[in-house]
Amino acid sequence: MPTNAEIIHRALDRITAEYVFPEKAAHIDALIRPRLAAGEYDGLEERELCETVTAHLQEACPDKHLRLLWTDEPQDLNPAAEDEGRSAFLELLRAQNQGIHRFEHLDGNVGLIDLRRIASADEGGRAIGAAMELVALSSALVLDLRECRGGAPEGAAMWCSYFFPDDQVHLNDIYERRTDSTRQFWTVAHLPAPRYLDRPVYVLTSAVTFSGGEDVAYTLQAHGRATVVGETTRGGAHPTVRYPVAAHVLVTVPAARTINTVTGTNWEGVGVVPDVAVPADEALDTAHKAALRDLGA
């Protein structure tokens, strides 16, 4: 079992090597290691260690994706098993219906999809298509992301693709520090359900909406394809990799950054600001009424 010092050294080594902003990684290292040398982390149980180090990481660099996480399931520390984080995420999505929590047909022929996670495009594509098939004949759509806590960039691009006519829309780019490369995300050419075009789309947000959920909201808003209703989101725009540093401790390292093709920036630290600001628990009613007005109902 590694000591607290070993856990922190492993975490800092990962952050230094892969955090998307090298200068900030150096600053983090310079602030955390003296705390370690001073004995601030001595004697802490691993759960408390995660909370304490995360608070110090956030003081050094307020990136909400940057943290130590406790996990009940023991992790394989073998470097060859580093894809286990993805495997665990895929299992979570399978257990949660690929993030699609519910569908509802609201008064006035308004469709509602309640989305809690953004599935990967490969495994989740059929489920995403099934949800969009259910709303294909609706006159307006409400996409509820108030409880959406993240997911896969490819899945976010697939969700967004349904609201554009073809594969010619450049949605955003993701720059990865480790490879010094930029990956472009465009609308998908072939989708398993009809595209949702020429009809109003409302996206609901809350202070809980995070990461991949923010990606969908920000992208549709920036491209003028949806009206965002609700609260400003949490503000986490950096795609993240998880590495085990002890059997029950993971370090999450934001290893890339999103660049929207319309705004030239992203929602990191500021969140997605709604077009119509209302408390989260009023967002659905507000959006539904707005949709009915759009439809002349």
Side-chain angles (χ1 to χ4, degrees), residues 1-272:
M1 180 176 178
T3 66
N4 286 358
E6 288 171 331
I7 291 171
I8 294 169
H9 281 305
R10 291 172 183 174
L12 289 176
D13 287 346
R14 285 291 191 180
I15 292 168
T16 299
E18 297 196 34
Y19 186 56
V20 66
F21 298 112
E23 68 284 358
K24 292 184 180 180
H27 178 65
I28 292 165
D29 193 88
L31 290 180
I32 299 295
R33 288 196 192 275
R35 290 179 180 269
L36 176 60
E40 290 191 34
Y41 307 117
D42 293 351
L44 297 179
E45 296 293 332
E46 284 187 349
R47 286 179 186 269
E48 187 180 3
L49 178 69
C50 290
E51 295 172 0
T52 303
V53 173
T54 295
H56 293 165
L57 289 171
Q58 293 292 307
E59 288 175 14
C61 178
D63 185 324
K64 292 183 175 65
H65 276 117
L66 185 65
R67 55 196 189 270
L68 287 191
L69 292 177
W70 167 268
T71 175
D72 290 327
E73 291 296 322
Q75 306 296 302
D76 189 341
L77 298 181
N78 186 333
E82 284 180 356
D83 68 340
E84 287 302 309
R86 172 174 166 77
S87 297
F89 179 64
L90 292 177
E91 282 298 323
L92 174 67
L93 286 166
R94 291 172 195 137
Q96 296 185 356
N97 196 38
Q98 300 298 343
I100 301 161
H101 186 68
R102 71 184 173 108
F103 157 80
E104 190 172 344
H105 184 254
L106 305 177
D107 291 345
N109 196 31
V110 177
L112 169 69
I113 297 173
D114 182 348
L115 186 61
R116 304 292 176 92
R117 299 272 182 181
I118 306 297
S120 61
D122 51 359
E123 281 221 2
R126 289 177 60 193
I128 295 169
M132 292 305 298
E133 194 74 62
L134 287 172
V135 300
L137 299 180
S138 64
S139 301
L141 174 64
V142 176
L143 185 61
D144 188 351
L145 301 177
R146 289 176 293 178
E147 294 292 333
C148 189
R149 300 168 189 267
E154 297 86 354
M158 175 168 274
W159 275 106
C160 290
S161 294
Y162 278 95
F163 306 105
F164 298 95
D166 51 37
D167 60 352
Q168 300 301 303
V169 180
H170 186 182
L171 299 170
N172 54 41
D173 296 330
I174 292 181
Y175 168 78
E176 183 181 65
R177 176 192 166 191
R178 181 175 57 84
T179 59
D180 191 28
S181 63
T182 298
R183 180 179 177 186
Q184 296 184 343
F185 287 82
W186 293 69
T187 46
V188 178
H190 302 290
L191 297 167
R195 295 178 188 270
Y196 199 90
L197 307 176
D198 304 319
R199 284 164 286 176
V201 178
Y202 291 86
V203 174
L204 310 186
T205 59
S206 75
V208 171
T209 310
F210 191 54
S211 192
E214 293 176 290
D215 186 347
V216 174
Y218 188 92
T219 301
L220 293 178
Q221 181 189 58
H223 284 269
R225 191 56 192 92
T227 301
V228 177
V229 180
E231 300 171 345
T232 299
T233 60
R234 283 179 64 191
H238 295 154
T240 301
V241 184
R242 297 183 176 194
Y243 295 108
V245 290
H248 292 278
V249 180
L250 300 166
V251 59
T252 66
V253 183
R257 61 186 174 92
T258 302
I259 306 159
N260 183 270
T261 55
V262 174
T263 66
T265 184
N266 58 44
W267 59 95
E268 178 63 34
V270 296
V272 181

